[in-house]
Amino acid sequence: MQHDPNARTQITEVDLPSGLTTPLPEDAGPLAVAARTAAETALGVPGVHHLGGLVARAADRVRSQLGRSAGAPGVQVDEVDGTLDVTVSLVVTYPQPVREVAEEVRRQVTAAVSQLGAGQTTTVDVRVLDVHGPFDDEPTAIDKAKDAVGDAVDRTKDAVTGAAENVREGAAEVAERAKDVAQDAADATREAAGKAKDAAGDVADRARDAAADAGDRIADAADTARERTADAVDAARSTASDAAERAAEKSSEAGDAAKDAVRAAKDAAVSASEEVRDRASGAAAAATDAAADAGAAASDAA
């Protein structure tokens, strides 16, 4: 029991169940806050042994050991038409008067929850489930089961911890082996890179030699092509000259023949012209004689 020098009342430490020691989440609703407040207030009333029945307490202990929140066992809060209805189920410690304990719980819970309701009406219903006396000190089957579950949970935690340690050690060993393998691979890679560099140098030298040989061959081929081209040009020129001379000769012969043909045509034309002229003269004389005869005949007839 502790005494607050700044207050007129004494402060009594109360052992809270695990469900009431777990902090509420930041987004907890007003009903959850009211249930937590009602449970903590009820447990602080003298004569209250615990909230809820044995089954609820055993389930709360198991959930706590498994790392899960149990909420506020033994307290139910509902909101109906703007009114908070709070139901508290509890077990009274023998030999406390049951009625007085229940009434005090109702009074204190009503006052505590009303401060959270922002003016809401609060009704509190207290239900006494049982009375805990000296005859209840022996562990029940539920308590034994609860302890067995706790031991199993502890053993499971130890096994998980040992397995985690083995995994860490194995991981460290694997990491060390991986480091050695990586180093060996790096050395092998550097060695292979050196060999590849040397091989590349040899290939480059061979390529340069081959290129030089090819250049010489190309130069020789170019000289040969130039010589053959010059020979072909000379041959073409000679052939063209011979053809030109033969063409000139043929042209001269053709010119002589043409001249002869022109002379023959001129002579034939002169002969034909003379013959036409002679025939025209004869025809004109004959016409003149016929005309004279016709004139004479006409004169005789007159």
Side-chain angles (χ1 to χ4, degrees):
M1 180 179 298
Q2 296 179 347
H3 179 68
D4 186 359
N6 298 323
R8 297 181 180 180
T9 58
Q10 291 181 339
I11 300 175
T12 304
E13 293 183 353
V14 178
D15 293 331
L16 297 177
S18 59
L20 298 180
T21 58
T22 303
L24 287 174
E26 295 181 357
D27 57 348
L31 298 183
V33 175
R36 175 68 66 89
T37 302
E40 293 177 354
T41 303
L43 287 173
V45 175
V48 175
H49 187 269
H50 60 263
L51 300 179
L54 293 176
V55 175
R57 288 192 299 123
D60 175 62
R61 172 70 181 276
V62 171
R63 284 191 293 267
S64 174
Q65 291 178 341
L66 294 178
R68 301 174 182 174
S69 176
V75 177
Q76 178 68 34
V77 179
D78 298 315
E79 184 177 4
V80 181
D81 297 333
T83 301
L84 289 181
D85 292 336
V86 181
T87 302
V88 181
S89 302
L90 54 85
V91 175
V92 177
T93 301
Y94 179 84
Q96 295 290 336
V98 174
R99 186 180 299 275
E100 293 180 4
V101 171
E103 185 60 30
E104 184 63 19
V105 169
R106 180 182 295 106
R107 186 185 66 81
Q108 292 193 23
V109 170
T110 301
V113 175
S114 296
Q115 296 177 3
L116 303 175
Q120 287 181 306
T121 303
T122 302
T123 62
V124 178
D125 181 24
V126 179
R127 299 178 181 178
V128 178
L129 303 178
D130 198 359
V131 175
H132 181 83
F135 47 84
D136 294 322
D137 292 337
E138 291 295 328
T140 63
I142 294 178
D143 294 332
K144 294 179 181 179
K146 175 188 63 179
D147 295 336
V149 171
D151 294 339
V153 171
D154 293 337
R155 288 194 298 270
T156 302
K157 289 181 178 179
D158 294 338
V160 171
T161 302
E165 185 65 25
N166 293 333
V167 169
R168 282 194 297 270
E169 293 177 357
E173 183 178 357
V174 170
E176 187 65 25
R177 292 180 181 177
K179 182 179 178 181
D180 295 338
V181 171
Q183 185 64 37
D184 295 340
D187 295 339
T189 301
R190 284 194 293 270
E191 183 179 358
K195 293 181 179 179
K197 182 178 179 180
D198 296 338
D202 295 339
V203 172
D205 294 337
R206 294 176 184 176
R208 282 194 296 270
D209 295 339
D213 294 339
D216 295 338
R217 293 177 184 177
I218 291 173
D220 295 339
D223 295 337
T224 302
R226 282 194 296 270
E227 293 175 358
R228 292 180 180 178
T229 300
D231 294 340
V233 170
D234 294 338
R237 288 176 180 174
S238 178
T239 302
S241 179
D242 294 340
E245 291 177 359
R246 287 194 296 270
E249 292 175 359
K250 294 292 183 182
S251 176
S252 179
E253 293 175 358
D256 295 338
K259 290 178 181 179
D260 294 339
V262 169
R263 292 191 190 99
K266 183 177 180 182
D267 293 340
V270 171
S271 297
S273 175
E274 291 176 355
E275 184 179 357
V276 170
R277 193 170 48 249
D278 292 341
R279 289 182 181 180
S281 296
T288 301
D289 292 341
D293 291 341
S299 178
D300 291 337

